[in-house]
Amino acid sequence: MWDAVVVGGGLAGWIAGIRAAQRGKKVLLVTEGVGTLFYFSGIFDYGDVECLRHFPKHPYTLFDAQAIVQGQHFVQEICPDYVLNDTPQFAFTVLGTVRQGDLMPRSMALPDQQEQGEFVLLVPEGLKDFFPEIVVDNMAREFPGWQVSVKRMQVDALAEWTRLGKNVSSVDCANIWRSEEGQRALAHEIEEIKRQYSEAVRLQGKVFVVLPSLVREYFDSSRTKSFRAEFSLPVLEMSSFVPSPHGRYFAEYLKHIFTDLGGELMIGARAVSINEEPTSESQAKVCQELIVNSMGKSLRLKGKNFILATGGLLGGGIKVGMARQSICEGVFDLPLFVPKEWSEPQFFAPQPFALIGVETDQFMRPLDPASGQVVWDNVYVVGRMLAHWDPWTQRCGGGVSVTSGYAAAELV
Ligand SMILES: Cc1cc2nc3c(=O)[nH]c(=O)nc-3n(C[C@H](O)[C@H](O)[C@H](O)COP(=O)(O)OP(=O)(O)OC[C@H]3O[C@@H](n4cnc5c(N)ncnc54)[C@H](O)[C@@H]3O)c2cc1C
């Protein structure tokens, strides 16, 4: 019997699983896929926490300020390159515009816009979905006092691909930058830039090489450690775009941390329901068995606690049929909060469907909105499955997922 069975391997599930394993709990994480980490920009958004804590029923109201800070420190503990500042931090998006972020890698944090300097955008030939002309225009608009130029780079390891007319994704590039050969090629290219821009370096000292893909392996673990070349100019990374190298390597890294701590994993397995049969020691409020489909088999997994981290509509945790009435949470069949109107006609307006999810008590146990009663005593709901928040307009996706995942792990 596991102390905790975590269902879902997105950001919230991994954080919960790692923290619970770190606390010495026997943990199993069951997941069908990687969740929305596939889209992760590399930056954890927390939003305006103080303001959101005044929104009725927002997940941040479940936690005190200390819990939010604990989650942030936990991220920094596992990702030491991530920095949190008292003042807002900004990074380049893949369009060359600037976006705010709360916890971001040191290598993404932009210099002061008021100062002057030079950006050299270094673009590998053949990079898919990346438009240097547009990017450079936007960068120049965002940093009016700065010079911006483009340098294209032929990557030997990709020469055959580009010769065949095949596009290179940001993940392909990141793969190459992670290798010793790729790091040396980058170091060589950056040395060339330094030579070319020696006058600018001499006059203002601030020349940054900007790269549109993950350049450094900063999700270091003993198993994923990669070679790091010395670069002769500072390098700035843009936030990730789909398919996200940051998300991909972060998910891999989290998996290593979890298993190194003794956590057990079932990947490609779908939790489908629970065994509701009451047993003598159960008051019907304690869930005991989860039913999981894995490799054509149906398995019954016993746990003392269950952490539901299956994401919302996008993560696959909430199923919607053709008729509205058929919306349901897919494992425990938990009652959902569903607004009367799902959408707003204005595209950029906050969309009510974003608030769909499970309401909980202050210990993240699911509630029946009609009666206000706790449905299961030993089930904790985390991340995107929680009701009453909107990651897009409130910009707090990472913050809610990390805080709730961490807090649930403290309760099991
Ligand atoms: C496009 C996009 C970009 C984003 N970018 C950022 C960003 O840059 N920064 C930021 O802070 N936030 C970002 N967010 C928000 C943030 O990523 C999400 O709020 C957060 O990742 C939600 O995590 P989660 O673990 O709750 O759910 P998910 O990431 O959706 O994970 C759910 C997991 O559960 C699994 N699952 C589902 N059903 C089952 C089942 N029955 N059995 C087993 N497994 C199951 C899925 O396979 C998946 O692994 C973004 C969100 C989106 C949609």
Side-chain angles (χ1 to χ4, degrees), residues 158-212:
L158 295 170
E160 189 57 15
W161 285 40
T162 42
R163 194 186 66 76
L164 294 169
K166 209 171 155 193
N167 282 327
V168 179
S169 77
S170 54
V171 169
D172 298 325
C173 264
N175 256 334
I176 289 173
W177 300 151
R178 278 158 57 98
S179 68
E180 182 168 348
E181 182 198 0
Q183 284 282 301
R184 289 200 195 286
L186 260 186
H188 175 75
E189 203 70 27
I190 291 168
E191 187 57 40
E192 282 292 301
I193 293 172
K194 187 177 176 190
R195 246 194 300 277
Q196 208 176 326
Y197 289 79
S198 56
E199 192 56 11
V201 174
R202 193 179 63 76
L203 288 178
Q204 49 196 9
K206 287 205 177 74
V207 176
F208 292 86
V209 176
V210 182
L211 271 134

Short mmCIF file of all heavy atoms in Angstrom, two decimals, residues 158-212:
data_model
loop_
_atom_site.label_atom_id
_atom_site.label_comp_id
_atom_site.label_asym_id
_atom_site.label_seq_id
_atom_site.Cartn_x
_atom_site.Cartn_y
_atom_site.Cartn_z
N LEU A 158 23.30 19.78 -38.17
CA LEU A 158 21.98 19.86 -38.82
C LEU A 158 22.09 20.08 -40.33
O LEU A 158 21.08 20.22 -41.02
CB LEU A 158 21.18 21.02 -38.21
CG LEU A 158 20.79 20.88 -36.74
CD1 LEU A 158 20.23 22.18 -36.22
CD2 LEU A 158 19.78 19.76 -36.57
N ALA A 159 23.34 20.10 -40.84
CA ALA A 159 23.55 20.45 -42.25
C ALA A 159 22.77 19.53 -43.18
O ALA A 159 22.13 19.97 -44.13
CB ALA A 159 25.04 20.42 -42.57
N GLU A 160 22.79 18.23 -42.88
CA GLU A 160 22.12 17.27 -43.75
C GLU A 160 20.60 17.49 -43.72
O GLU A 160 19.94 17.42 -44.75
CB GLU A 160 22.49 15.85 -43.30
CG GLU A 160 22.07 14.73 -44.22
CD GLU A 160 22.60 14.87 -45.66
OE1 GLU A 160 23.52 15.67 -45.92
OE2 GLU A 160 22.03 14.18 -46.55
N TRP A 161 20.09 17.77 -42.56
CA TRP A 161 18.64 18.04 -42.42
C TRP A 161 18.25 19.23 -43.28
O TRP A 161 17.30 19.18 -44.05
CB TRP A 161 18.30 18.41 -40.97
CG TRP A 161 18.29 17.31 -40.00
CD1 TRP A 161 19.18 16.28 -39.94
CD2 TRP A 161 17.36 17.12 -38.95
NE1 TRP A 161 18.86 15.47 -38.90
CE2 TRP A 161 17.74 15.96 -38.27
CE3 TRP A 161 16.26 17.83 -38.50
CZ2 TRP A 161 17.06 15.48 -37.17
CZ3 TRP A 161 15.57 17.36 -37.41
CH2 TRP A 161 15.96 16.20 -36.75
N THR A 162 19.00 20.34 -43.12
CA THR A 162 18.60 21.57 -43.83
C THR A 162 18.82 21.39 -45.33
O THR A 162 18.06 21.91 -46.13
CB THR A 162 19.36 22.80 -43.29
OG1 THR A 162 20.72 22.45 -43.08
CG2 THR A 162 18.79 23.30 -42.00
N ARG A 163 19.85 20.60 -45.71
CA ARG A 163 20.08 20.35 -47.15
C ARG A 163 18.87 19.62 -47.75
O ARG A 163 18.47 19.88 -48.87
CB ARG A 163 21.36 19.51 -47.33
CG ARG A 163 21.89 19.47 -48.75
CD ARG A 163 23.06 18.52 -48.89
NE ARG A 163 22.71 17.11 -48.68
CZ ARG A 163 22.07 16.35 -49.55
NH1 ARG A 163 21.69 16.84 -50.71
NH2 ARG A 163 21.79 15.09 -49.26
N LEU A 164 18.26 18.76 -46.96
CA LEU A 164 17.09 18.02 -47.44
C LEU A 164 15.80 18.84 -47.31
O LEU A 164 14.70 18.35 -47.57
CB LEU A 164 16.94 16.71 -46.65
CG LEU A 164 18.05 15.68 -46.86
CD1 LEU A 164 17.93 14.55 -45.84
CD2 LEU A 164 17.98 15.10 -48.28
N GLY A 165 15.94 20.07 -46.83
CA GLY A 165 14.78 20.95 -46.71
C GLY A 165 13.94 20.66 -45.48
O GLY A 165 12.80 21.12 -45.38
N LYS A 166 14.52 19.93 -44.52
CA LYS A 166 13.75 19.60 -43.33
C LYS A 166 13.88 20.72 -42.29
O LYS A 166 14.97 21.24 -42.08
CB LYS A 166 14.34 18.30 -42.76
CG LYS A 166 13.36 17.47 -42.03
CD LYS A 166 13.97 16.13 -41.70
CE LYS A 166 13.26 15.58 -40.49
NZ LYS A 166 13.88 14.47 -39.88
N ASN A 167 12.76 21.09 -41.70
CA ASN A 167 12.82 22.13 -40.67
C ASN A 167 13.37 21.58 -39.35
O ASN A 167 13.24 20.41 -39.06
CB ASN A 167 11.41 22.67 -40.41
CG ASN A 167 11.01 23.64 -41.48
OD1 ASN A 167 11.84 24.35 -42.03
ND2 ASN A 167 9.73 23.64 -41.81
N VAL A 168 13.94 22.50 -38.59
CA VAL A 168 14.54 22.10 -37.32
C VAL A 168 13.69 22.69 -36.19
O VAL A 168 13.45 23.90 -36.18
CB VAL A 168 15.98 22.66 -37.24
CG1 VAL A 168 16.61 22.29 -35.92
CG2 VAL A 168 16.81 22.19 -38.41
N SER A 169 13.23 21.86 -35.28
CA SER A 169 12.41 22.40 -34.19
C SER A 169 13.31 22.92 -33.07
O SER A 169 14.51 22.62 -33.02
CB SER A 169 11.48 21.30 -33.64
OG SER A 169 12.22 20.43 -32.82
N SER A 170 12.71 23.68 -32.15
CA SER A 170 13.50 24.21 -31.03
C SER A 170 14.03 23.07 -30.16
O SER A 170 15.10 23.19 -29.55
CB SER A 170 12.66 25.18 -30.20
OG SER A 170 11.46 24.56 -29.81
N VAL A 171 13.32 21.95 -30.13
CA VAL A 171 13.80 20.80 -29.35
C VAL A 171 15.03 20.18 -30.03
O VAL A 171 16.01 19.81 -29.36
CB VAL A 171 12.69 19.75 -29.14
CG1 VAL A 171 13.24 18.45 -28.59
CG2 VAL A 171 11.62 20.28 -28.20
N ASP A 172 15.00 20.10 -31.38
CA ASP A 172 16.18 19.56 -32.10
C ASP A 172 17.41 20.42 -31.78
O ASP A 172 18.50 19.92 -31.55
CB ASP A 172 15.96 19.59 -33.62
CG ASP A 172 14.79 18.73 -34.06
OD1 ASP A 172 14.59 17.67 -33.44
OD2 ASP A 172 14.08 19.11 -35.02
N CYS A 173 17.19 21.75 -31.82
CA CYS A 173 18.31 22.66 -31.54
C CYS A 173 18.82 22.47 -30.12
O CYS A 173 20.03 22.35 -29.90
CB CYS A 173 17.83 24.10 -31.65
SG CYS A 173 18.16 24.78 -33.23
N ALA A 174 17.88 22.44 -29.18
CA ALA A 174 18.28 22.30 -27.78
C ALA A 174 19.07 21.00 -27.57
O ALA A 174 20.04 20.96 -26.81
CB ALA A 174 17.05 22.33 -26.88
N ASN A 175 18.67 19.96 -28.29
CA ASN A 175 19.38 18.69 -28.20
C ASN A 175 20.83 18.85 -28.60
O ASN A 175 21.73 18.26 -27.99
CB ASN A 175 18.74 17.69 -29.18
CG ASN A 175 17.89 16.69 -28.46
OD1 ASN A 175 18.12 16.42 -27.30
ND2 ASN A 175 16.90 16.16 -29.15
N ILE A 176 21.04 19.62 -29.64
CA ILE A 176 22.42 19.82 -30.11
C ILE A 176 23.19 20.70 -29.13
O ILE A 176 24.33 20.41 -28.79
CB ILE A 176 22.39 20.41 -31.53
CG1 ILE A 176 21.91 19.30 -32.44
CG2 ILE A 176 23.77 20.92 -31.95
CD1 ILE A 176 21.65 19.67 -33.82
N TRP A 177 22.54 21.75 -28.63
CA TRP A 177 23.25 22.63 -27.68
C TRP A 177 23.61 21.88 -26.39
O TRP A 177 24.50 22.27 -25.68
CB TRP A 177 22.39 23.85 -27.30
CG TRP A 177 21.99 24.77 -28.41
CD1 TRP A 177 20.85 25.52 -28.42
CD2 TRP A 177 22.67 25.07 -29.63
NE1 TRP A 177 20.78 26.26 -29.58
CE2 TRP A 177 21.89 26.00 -30.34
CE3 TRP A 177 23.87 24.65 -30.21
CZ2 TRP A 177 22.24 26.51 -31.58
CZ3 TRP A 177 24.23 25.15 -31.46
CH2 TRP A 177 23.43 26.07 -32.12
N ARG A 178 22.91 20.81 -26.10
CA ARG A 178 23.21 20.03 -24.89
C ARG A 178 24.44 19.14 -25.06
O ARG A 178 25.00 18.65 -24.09
CB ARG A 178 22.03 19.13 -24.53
CG ARG A 178 20.93 19.83 -23.77
CD ARG A 178 19.64 19.08 -23.92
NE ARG A 178 19.71 17.70 -23.48
CZ ARG A 178 19.32 17.27 -22.28
NH1 ARG A 178 18.84 18.12 -21.42
NH2 ARG A 178 19.40 16.01 -21.96
N SER A 179 24.82 18.91 -26.32
CA SER A 179 25.96 18.00 -26.54
C SER A 179 27.27 18.78 -26.45
O SER A 179 27.30 20.01 -26.61
CB SER A 179 25.86 17.35 -27.92
OG SER A 179 26.06 18.34 -28.91
N GLU A 180 28.35 18.08 -26.22
CA GLU A 180 29.66 18.74 -26.14
C GLU A 180 29.97 19.41 -27.47
O GLU A 180 30.44 20.55 -27.51
CB GLU A 180 30.73 17.71 -25.76
CG GLU A 180 32.09 18.33 -25.62
CD GLU A 180 33.11 17.43 -24.98
OE1 GLU A 180 32.73 16.39 -24.41
OE2 GLU A 180 34.31 17.78 -25.05
N GLU A 181 29.67 18.71 -28.56
CA GLU A 181 29.95 19.25 -29.90
C GLU A 181 29.16 20.56 -30.11
O GLU A 181 29.69 21.56 -30.60
CB GLU A 181 29.50 18.19 -30.92
CG GLU A 181 29.75 18.54 -32.35
CD GLU A 181 28.91 17.66 -33.30
OE1 GLU A 181 28.14 16.80 -32.81
OE2 GLU A 181 29.00 17.89 -34.51
N GLY A 182 27.90 20.54 -29.70
CA GLY A 182 27.05 21.73 -29.86
C GLY A 182 27.54 22.89 -29.02
O GLY A 182 27.57 24.03 -29.47
N GLN A 183 27.94 22.60 -27.78
CA GLN A 183 28.44 23.65 -26.90
C GLN A 183 29.71 24.28 -27.47
O GLN A 183 29.89 25.48 -27.44
CB GLN A 183 28.74 23.08 -25.51
CG GLN A 183 27.49 22.82 -24.68
CD GLN A 183 26.90 24.08 -24.08
OE1 GLN A 183 27.56 24.78 -23.32
NE2 GLN A 183 25.67 24.40 -24.42
N ARG A 184 30.57 23.43 -28.05
CA ARG A 184 31.83 23.96 -28.62
C ARG A 184 31.53 24.81 -29.85
O ARG A 184 32.15 25.86 -30.07
CB ARG A 184 32.77 22.80 -28.99
CG ARG A 184 33.34 22.11 -27.77
CD ARG A 184 34.61 21.32 -28.12
NE ARG A 184 34.98 20.39 -27.08
CZ ARG A 184 35.54 20.75 -25.91
NH1 ARG A 184 35.78 22.01 -25.67
NH2 ARG A 184 35.84 19.84 -25.01
N ALA A 185 30.56 24.36 -30.67
CA ALA A 185 30.21 25.13 -31.87
C ALA A 185 29.64 26.49 -31.47
O ALA A 185 29.97 27.52 -32.08
CB ALA A 185 29.17 24.34 -32.69
N LEU A 186 28.81 26.50 -30.44
CA LEU A 186 28.25 27.77 -29.96
C LEU A 186 29.35 28.69 -29.44
O LEU A 186 29.38 29.88 -29.75
CB LEU A 186 27.28 27.50 -28.81
CG LEU A 186 25.79 27.49 -29.10
CD1 LEU A 186 25.02 27.35 -27.80
CD2 LEU A 186 25.34 28.75 -29.82
N ALA A 187 30.25 28.10 -28.64
CA ALA A 187 31.34 28.89 -28.06
C ALA A 187 32.17 29.52 -29.17
O ALA A 187 32.55 30.70 -29.10
CB ALA A 187 32.21 28.01 -27.17
N HIS A 188 32.39 28.75 -30.24
CA HIS A 188 33.19 29.25 -31.37
C HIS A 188 32.46 30.42 -32.05
O HIS A 188 33.04 31.46 -32.35
CB HIS A 188 33.41 28.10 -32.35
CG HIS A 188 34.11 28.51 -33.60
ND1 HIS A 188 35.46 28.77 -33.63
CD2 HIS A 188 33.64 28.76 -34.85
CE1 HIS A 188 35.80 29.15 -34.85
NE2 HIS A 188 34.70 29.14 -35.61
N GLU A 189 31.15 30.25 -32.28
CA GLU A 189 30.34 31.27 -32.94
C GLU A 189 30.31 32.56 -32.11
O GLU A 189 30.38 33.67 -32.63
CB GLU A 189 28.92 30.71 -33.12
CG GLU A 189 28.11 31.35 -34.19
CD GLU A 189 28.58 31.03 -35.60
OE1 GLU A 189 29.17 29.96 -35.82
OE2 GLU A 189 28.36 31.89 -36.49
N ILE A 190 30.20 32.38 -30.81
CA ILE A 190 30.12 33.55 -29.91
C ILE A 190 31.47 34.28 -29.88
O ILE A 190 31.53 35.50 -29.85
CB ILE A 190 29.65 33.10 -28.50
CG1 ILE A 190 28.17 32.67 -28.59
CG2 ILE A 190 29.80 34.21 -27.48
CD1 ILE A 190 27.62 31.94 -27.40
N GLU A 191 32.54 33.53 -29.97
CA GLU A 191 33.87 34.13 -30.04
C GLU A 191 33.99 34.99 -31.32
O GLU A 191 34.53 36.10 -31.29
CB GLU A 191 34.93 33.00 -30.02
CG GLU A 191 36.36 33.44 -29.93
CD GLU A 191 36.65 34.31 -28.70
OE1 GLU A 191 36.11 34.03 -27.63
OE2 GLU A 191 37.41 35.30 -28.87
N GLU A 192 33.45 34.46 -32.43
CA GLU A 192 33.43 35.21 -33.70
C GLU A 192 32.68 36.52 -33.53
O GLU A 192 33.10 37.56 -34.01
CB GLU A 192 32.70 34.38 -34.78
CG GLU A 192 33.51 33.28 -35.38
CD GLU A 192 34.64 33.86 -36.21
OE1 GLU A 192 34.34 34.61 -37.15
OE2 GLU A 192 35.81 33.57 -35.87
N ILE A 193 31.50 36.43 -32.88
CA ILE A 193 30.68 37.63 -32.67
C ILE A 193 31.47 38.65 -31.84
O ILE A 193 31.49 39.84 -32.13
CB ILE A 193 29.34 37.27 -31.97
CG1 ILE A 193 28.49 36.42 -32.91
CG2 ILE A 193 28.57 38.51 -31.55
CD1 ILE A 193 27.21 35.84 -32.29
N LYS A 194 32.14 38.15 -30.84
CA LYS A 194 32.91 39.05 -29.97
C LYS A 194 33.97 39.80 -30.79
O LYS A 194 34.17 41.00 -30.62
CB LYS A 194 33.57 38.26 -28.84
CG LYS A 194 34.22 39.16 -27.82
CD LYS A 194 34.81 38.39 -26.68
CE LYS A 194 35.53 39.35 -25.75
NZ LYS A 194 36.32 38.65 -24.77
N ARG A 195 34.60 39.05 -31.70
CA ARG A 195 35.64 39.67 -32.54
C ARG A 195 35.01 40.74 -33.42
O ARG A 195 35.49 41.86 -33.53
CB ARG A 195 36.30 38.61 -33.42
CG ARG A 195 37.78 38.40 -33.05
CD ARG A 195 38.54 37.62 -34.12
NE ARG A 195 37.99 36.29 -34.35
CZ ARG A 195 38.28 35.24 -33.60
NH1 ARG A 195 39.11 35.35 -32.60
NH2 ARG A 195 37.75 34.08 -33.86
N GLN A 196 33.86 40.36 -34.04
CA GLN A 196 33.16 41.25 -34.97
C GLN A 196 32.66 42.52 -34.27
O GLN A 196 32.62 43.58 -34.86
CB GLN A 196 31.97 40.48 -35.53
CG GLN A 196 31.54 40.90 -36.90
CD GLN A 196 30.41 39.96 -37.34
OE1 GLN A 196 30.40 38.78 -37.01
NE2 GLN A 196 29.47 40.50 -38.08
N TYR A 197 32.27 42.37 -33.03
CA TYR A 197 31.68 43.49 -32.30
C TYR A 197 32.67 44.06 -31.27
O TYR A 197 32.26 44.64 -30.28
CB TYR A 197 30.38 43.06 -31.59
CG TYR A 197 29.24 42.81 -32.56
CD1 TYR A 197 29.16 41.63 -33.27
CD2 TYR A 197 28.25 43.77 -32.77
CE1 TYR A 197 28.13 41.39 -34.17
CE2 TYR A 197 27.21 43.55 -33.67
CZ TYR A 197 27.16 42.34 -34.36
OH TYR A 197 26.13 42.11 -35.24
N SER A 198 33.94 43.89 -31.55
CA SER A 198 34.93 44.27 -30.53
C SER A 198 34.83 45.74 -30.16
O SER A 198 35.01 46.11 -29.01
CB SER A 198 36.34 43.92 -31.01
OG SER A 198 36.55 44.56 -32.24
N GLU A 199 34.50 46.60 -31.15
CA GLU A 199 34.40 48.04 -30.89
C GLU A 199 33.25 48.31 -29.90
O GLU A 199 33.40 49.08 -28.94
CB GLU A 199 34.16 48.76 -32.21
CG GLU A 199 34.32 50.28 -32.18
CD GLU A 199 35.68 50.76 -31.67
OE1 GLU A 199 36.62 49.94 -31.52
OE2 GLU A 199 35.77 51.96 -31.36
N ALA A 200 32.10 47.65 -30.15
CA ALA A 200 30.94 47.84 -29.26
C ALA A 200 31.27 47.31 -27.86
O ALA A 200 30.92 47.93 -26.86
CB ALA A 200 29.74 47.10 -29.82
N VAL A 201 31.97 46.17 -27.82
CA VAL A 201 32.34 45.61 -26.52
C VAL A 201 33.24 46.60 -25.79
O VAL A 201 33.08 46.86 -24.59
CB VAL A 201 33.03 44.24 -26.69
CG1 VAL A 201 33.54 43.71 -25.36
CG2 VAL A 201 32.08 43.23 -27.34
N ARG A 202 34.19 47.19 -26.56
CA ARG A 202 35.14 48.12 -25.95
C ARG A 202 34.42 49.37 -25.45
O ARG A 202 34.66 49.85 -24.35
CB ARG A 202 36.22 48.48 -26.98
CG ARG A 202 37.44 49.18 -26.40
CD ARG A 202 38.47 49.49 -27.46
NE ARG A 202 37.99 50.43 -28.49
CZ ARG A 202 37.87 51.74 -28.31
NH1 ARG A 202 38.19 52.29 -27.17
NH2 ARG A 202 37.44 52.52 -29.29
N LEU A 203 33.48 49.90 -26.28
CA LEU A 203 32.83 51.17 -25.93
C LEU A 203 31.80 51.02 -24.83
O LEU A 203 31.75 51.80 -23.91
CB LEU A 203 32.15 51.77 -27.17
CG LEU A 203 33.10 52.34 -28.22
CD1 LEU A 203 32.32 52.85 -29.41
CD2 LEU A 203 33.93 53.48 -27.61
N GLN A 204 30.93 50.06 -24.95
CA GLN A 204 29.84 49.99 -23.96
C GLN A 204 29.84 48.73 -23.10
O GLN A 204 29.10 48.66 -22.12
CB GLN A 204 28.48 50.14 -24.66
CG GLN A 204 28.34 49.24 -25.86
CD GLN A 204 27.19 49.68 -26.74
OE1 GLN A 204 26.61 50.72 -26.56
NE2 GLN A 204 26.85 48.85 -27.71
N GLY A 205 30.65 47.78 -23.50
CA GLY A 205 30.77 46.58 -22.67
C GLY A 205 29.54 45.69 -22.65
O GLY A 205 29.60 44.57 -22.17
N LYS A 206 28.40 46.16 -23.19
CA LYS A 206 27.17 45.37 -23.06
C LYS A 206 26.74 44.81 -24.41
O LYS A 206 25.95 45.40 -25.13
CB LYS A 206 26.04 46.25 -22.52
CG LYS A 206 26.18 46.59 -21.06
CD LYS A 206 24.82 46.90 -20.47
CE LYS A 206 24.91 47.16 -18.99
NZ LYS A 206 25.49 48.48 -18.69
N VAL A 207 27.30 43.67 -24.75
CA VAL A 207 26.85 42.97 -25.96
C VAL A 207 26.33 41.61 -25.51
O VAL A 207 27.05 40.84 -24.87
CB VAL A 207 27.99 42.82 -26.99
CG1 VAL A 207 27.52 42.01 -28.19
CG2 VAL A 207 28.49 44.19 -27.44
N PHE A 208 25.06 41.35 -25.82
CA PHE A 208 24.44 40.09 -25.42
C PHE A 208 24.13 39.28 -26.66
O PHE A 208 23.59 39.81 -27.63
CB PHE A 208 23.13 40.33 -24.67
CG PHE A 208 23.29 40.97 -23.33
CD1 PHE A 208 23.37 42.36 -23.21
CD2 PHE A 208 23.37 40.20 -22.18
CE1 PHE A 208 23.52 42.94 -21.96
CE2 PHE A 208 23.51 40.78 -20.93
CZ PHE A 208 23.59 42.16 -20.82
N VAL A 209 24.42 38.00 -26.61
CA VAL A 209 24.00 37.10 -27.68
C VAL A 209 22.65 36.51 -27.26
O VAL A 209 22.51 36.01 -26.15
CB VAL A 209 25.03 35.96 -27.88
CG1 VAL A 209 24.55 34.98 -28.94
CG2 VAL A 209 26.38 36.55 -28.27
N VAL A 210 21.65 36.65 -28.15
CA VAL A 210 20.31 36.17 -27.81
C VAL A 210 20.03 34.92 -28.62
O VAL A 210 20.19 34.92 -29.85
CB VAL A 210 19.24 37.26 -28.13
CG1 VAL A 210 17.85 36.78 -27.74
CG2 VAL A 210 19.58 38.56 -27.43
N LEU A 211 19.59 33.85 -27.95
CA LEU A 211 19.33 32.59 -28.66
C LEU A 211 17.89 32.14 -28.47
O LEU A 211 17.34 32.24 -27.37
CB LEU A 211 20.28 31.51 -28.17
CG LEU A 211 21.58 31.49 -28.99
CD1 LEU A 211 22.78 31.41 -28.12
CD2 LEU A 211 21.56 30.35 -29.98
N PRO A 212 17.28 31.64 -29.55
CA PRO A 212 15.86 31.27 -29.46
C PRO A 212 15.60 29.86 -28.94
O PRO A 212 14.54 29.33 -29.17
CB PRO A 212 15.42 31.38 -30.93
CG PRO A 212 16.64 31.13 -31.72
CD PRO A 212 17.82 31.54 -30.90
#
